[in-house]
Amino acid sequence: PLNFGLPTEDPRNGLSFVTVPLEHLNKFALLEKAILYYFGFATMHGYEHHTAPQEHIIMVGDRNLYIFRPNADVLRCVPIDSITGLKGPQDATAQGAFGVVKVQPTEHDIVIKATADLTKVLQIIADVYKGLKSTSLAIEFETSGPVDAYVEAKDIKLKPLEGYKMKAMSPTPKSKLKIALDLYQQQHGSTYSRGGKRTKAEKVAAVQAAGAAAAGGSLSQEVTAGGATDNIDDSLSRLLARLRLSQYGPVLRNQHVDVELLSCMDAADLNNFGIKDPKHCEAIVSAAADHELNGTPV
């Protein structure tokens, strides 16, 4: 069915789904099956050569901001919940207008130019961020003047740190979100809605059914600067194995629980998911939280 049976808008954040333009389907056919809120061209200032703007494709999904070369090579995959600031121009139509995506210190920042959709792109990123973090990320409309001068004055970091490795995570398939939403409806007797006040247990259930079950984290790969990849398909299994608690793997996976979801639970939540030993619950949620906050390998 059209859009895999999903509505025209994502019920988790109210954003409209978009499709890959026909003229780009030959190179981006797989993305037609993925959750996308934006797909378009823009110039990325100083991206591969510090003084030479480069044209790339920007794609915004439900978890990540992607930058591709026109030939579909992935240049950046930035988790949207790792973004720390959005800066845009007061007049996005002005010549030389640009926007900035600030990210955590382990990543390097992004400067976007030459797109009529600049404000739209920044707003979509802000809306996805709010859906993921349940807190707002305001766009500061302050960028102006020559972009090089702004980058230097505001200490925008465009060069990757030495030894930088990009973690490239596959976008969430639409089919997976459809399954998650159907599961939520079966479990709760109503369609998923982002509105209304819910208890913490209900929020965890909502995240599980409408978010974590659709997450692309289980499809993620570590991509080095040289293009080599190391599959990190099952971080949950590795986390449990490190704790010598692998017996809980089937229980958690059958309920669509992954490390990302574990990181927003406490021991009482985990008990509700079938792990009854309090010490085991504490060990698992502590390890998951440590992984989320500090990037501890699992």
Side-chain angles (χ1 to χ4, degrees):
L2 181 65
N3 232 18
F4 289 83
L6 291 170
T8 57
E9 294 183 349
D10 191 328
R12 298 172 299 172
N13 51 37
L15 290 169
S16 297
F17 296 116
V18 300
T19 58
V20 177
L22 287 175
E23 61 269 28
H24 301 296
L25 272 179
N26 61 327
K27 294 179 180 176
F28 294 93
L30 290 177
L31 293 183
E32 184 62 15
K33 301 178 180 180
I35 294 173
L36 305 180
Y37 307 126
Y38 182 82
F39 182 102
F41 280 88
T43 297
M44 315 307 297
H45 176 78
Y47 203 79
E48 293 177 298
H49 306 284
H50 186 66
T51 59
Q54 302 289 318
E55 185 176 61
H56 295 102
I57 290 173
I58 297 179
M59 191 199 88
V60 183
D62 66 335
R63 297 269 167 176
N64 304 293
L65 167 66
Y66 299 90
I67 298 173
F68 296 91
R69 289 192 179 98
N71 66 358
D73 286 346
V74 183
L75 285 177
R76 292 292 297 275
C77 173
V78 178
I80 290 175
D81 59 6
S82 74
I83 292 173
T84 60
L86 297 172
K87 302 180 186 297
Q90 291 185 345
D91 182 5
T93 64
Q95 185 176 5
F98 62 94
V100 177
V101 178
K102 294 281 292 180
V103 293
Q104 292 176 353
T106 53
E107 292 268 357
H108 43 296
D109 303 323
I110 299 171
V111 176
I112 306 171
K113 293 178 62 180
T115 172
D117 292 335
L118 180 54
T119 302
K120 178 181 179 180
V121 172
L122 295 176
Q123 187 59 58
I124 289 173
I125 294 171
D127 289 343
V128 175
Y129 181 96
K130 184 175 182 179
L132 292 172
K133 303 279 284 187
S134 298
T135 186
S136 297
L137 182 67
I139 304 171
E140 300 177 50
F141 293 98
E142 64 168 42
T143 60
S144 61
V147 62
D148 285 318
Y150 182 90
V151 166
E152 184 175 355
K154 298 293 184 177
D155 196 28
I156 307 299
K157 306 295 186 183
L158 296 182
K159 296 181 66 176
L161 298 174
E162 185 176 354
Y164 167 75
K165 290 184 178 181
M166 178 181 68
K167 183 195 291 184
M169 292 175 285
S170 301
T172 305
K174 293 175 183 175
S175 58
K176 219 169 184 184
L177 176 58
K178 174 61 175 169
I179 291 171
L181 293 174
D182 288 347
L183 177 63
Y184 182 91
Q185 186 168 7
Q186 292 171 13
Q187 292 177 340
H188 298 271
S190 61
T191 57
Y192 176 78
S193 171
R194 62 194 172 113
K197 293 184 178 181
R198 295 191 289 271
T199 65
K200 182 175 181 180
E202 289 172 332
K203 289 179 181 178
V204 169
V207 170
Q208 177 200 26
S218 63
L219 302 174
S220 63
Q221 295 178 319
E222 293 257 346
V223 180
T224 66
T229 62
D230 299 313
N231 197 342
I232 55 169
D233 177 60
D234 198 352
S235 56
L236 175 64
S237 291
R238 287 203 293 275
L239 182 143
L240 294 175
R242 180 164 60 84
L243 298 173
R244 298 183 179 180
L245 297 174
S246 296
Q247 68 269 29
Y248 297 121
V251 173
L252 295 174
R253 275 190 292 271
N254 286 342
Q255 299 178 86
H256 308 291
V257 175
D258 58 13
V259 174
E260 184 175 357
L261 180 58
L262 283 175
S263 68
C264 66
M265 290 185 181
D266 57 25
D269 297 323
L270 199 52
N271 180 275
N272 292 332
F273 280 82
I275 300 179
K276 301 303 180 182
D277 188 310
K279 291 183 179 179
H280 291 177
C281 290
E282 290 289 352
I284 292 171
V285 297
S286 177
D290 186 56
H291 169 66
E292 179 74 8
L293 292 173
N294 303 312
T296 303
V298 296

